[in-house]
Amino acid sequence: VEFLYCDLASMKSIRQFVQQFRAKNCPLHVLVNNAGVMLVPERKTEDGFEEHFGLNYLGHFLLTNLLLDTLKQSGTHSHNARIITVSSATHYVGKLHLNDLQSRCSYSPHGAYAQSKLALVLFTYRLQHLLTANGSHVTANVVDPGVVNTELYKHVFWVVKVVKWMTAWLFFKTPEEGASTTIYAAVSPEMEGAGGCYLYNEERTKSADVAYDEELQRRLWTESCKMVGISDEASRLL
């Protein structure tokens, strides 16, 4: 195992990481997008993005796009390269505000978190559409890990923390259990060649209805390209 530093809240750090990775001339068979924050107070990344949207979504959007060439070169007809993005069941209640993606008008930690997780699902579906259209040997899927007992909950109210402490053994998954569906998407022979899926408990399931809105997927993609400074035309051509 070799560690390369990458701060998903920094566009500069992401670009530096990709440059370092490419310099190694290594193939890339699996990319797991799993960084995230939840219910943080209103604050911005160094690039001026609302933190949930900037870190949870835009960081992964840029990272994935910058690594697409390597992923395409690594995938073959019999062994596709795989992109797995970790979302959340919270996306079911999320609303995408294309006119206020930074939650400037009315900030809600819950709303901002849910929006970032919905954006990840929309992104995955759009990405798979583009990969298929291009004939690339790369698949993109999105995973719901379930409710997992991690430090992700450190910003919830103290009452919730107490309840979590008392009931985690009964209702929460362990980190190992929470990772199982991501690992399934990354290595299972059953997922070979399968893309555009929403997975929960190692099974394909239905995501929120709005996530299948192709026009919304396209508009989010275009806006995301502008925000991170990459060419939408180049992204569509992959």
Side-chain angles (χ1 to χ4, degrees):
V1 175
E2 183 175 355
F3 175 82
L4 293 179
Y5 179 81
C6 182
D7 180 357
L8 268 291
S10 166
M11 301 295 119
K12 179 181 179 181
S13 178
I14 293 168
R15 292 180 182 278
Q16 289 176 338
F17 163 80
V18 172
Q19 188 176 31
Q20 290 178 321
F21 180 78
R22 283 178 171 172
K24 294 181 176 295
N25 292 316
C26 294
L28 178 57
H29 299 107
V30 178
L31 171 65
V32 178
N33 293 320
N34 188 42
V37 292
M38 184 176 77
L39 308 183
V40 297
E42 185 174 11
R43 60 194 188 197
K44 296 179 180 179
T45 67
E46 66 177 48
D47 301 288
F49 301 123
E50 186 277 316
E51 190 167 358
H52 290 98
F53 197 76
L55 195 161
N56 293 2
Y57 170 66
L58 286 177
H60 293 120
F61 179 85
L62 178 62
L63 178 67
T64 302
N65 271 278
L66 294 181
L67 290 173
L68 273 176
D69 282 346
T70 306
L71 285 158
K72 285 166 48 182
Q73 294 165 9
S74 304
T76 66
H77 178 72
S78 58
H79 291 90
N80 282 250
R82 304 186 188 189
I83 301 168
I84 298 94
T85 297
V86 179
S87 181
S88 162
T90 311
H91 92 275
Y92 285 105
V93 298
K95 294 183 179 180
L96 194 78
H97 302 285
L98 278 171
N99 60 340
D100 187 27
L101 292 171
Q102 303 303 319
S103 304
R104 293 191 178 99
C105 293
S106 178
Y107 182 77
S108 160
H110 295 82
Y113 176 70
Q115 176 179 244
S116 71
K117 290 301 180 178
L118 173 59
L120 288 169
V121 183
L122 288 158
F123 155 67
T124 299
Y125 292 166
R126 178 63 179 168
L127 176 59
Q128 183 59 55
H129 171 79
L130 295 170
L131 290 167
T132 301
N134 189 247
S136 301
H137 297 306
V138 183
T139 58
N141 292 296
V142 60
V143 166
D144 173 5
V147 183
V148 187
N149 189 14
T150 68
E151 288 299 308
L152 192 64
Y153 296 86
K154 65 182 179 181
H155 292 289
V156 300
F157 293 122
W158 69 269
V159 175
V160 179
K161 289 182 180 179
V162 172
V163 173
K164 174 181 177 289
W165 177 76
M166 295 174 62
T167 64
W169 65 275
L170 182 61
F171 298 111
F172 284 62
K173 292 182 178 181
T174 65
E176 291 78 11
E177 292 169 339
S180 65
T181 302
T182 298
I183 296 170
Y184 172 80
V187 301
S188 172
E190 296 176 18
M191 293 302 297
E192 177 57 46
C197 302
Y198 184 85
L199 302 170
Y200 176 64
N201 283 345
E202 300 183 16
E203 294 184 359
R204 304 179 198 190
T205 193
K206 188 175 181 294
S207 61
D209 290 339
V210 67
Y212 299 103
D213 185 333
E214 294 183 0
E215 177 62 15
L216 188 60
Q217 295 168 15
R218 185 191 65 77
R219 292 176 65 190
L220 174 63
W221 185 282
T222 298
E223 187 61 29
S224 301
C225 288
K226 294 177 183 176
M227 296 172 83
V228 302
I230 60 176
S231 169
D232 187 17
E233 182 66 22
S235 296
R236 286 193 284 110
L237 293 175
L238 293 179

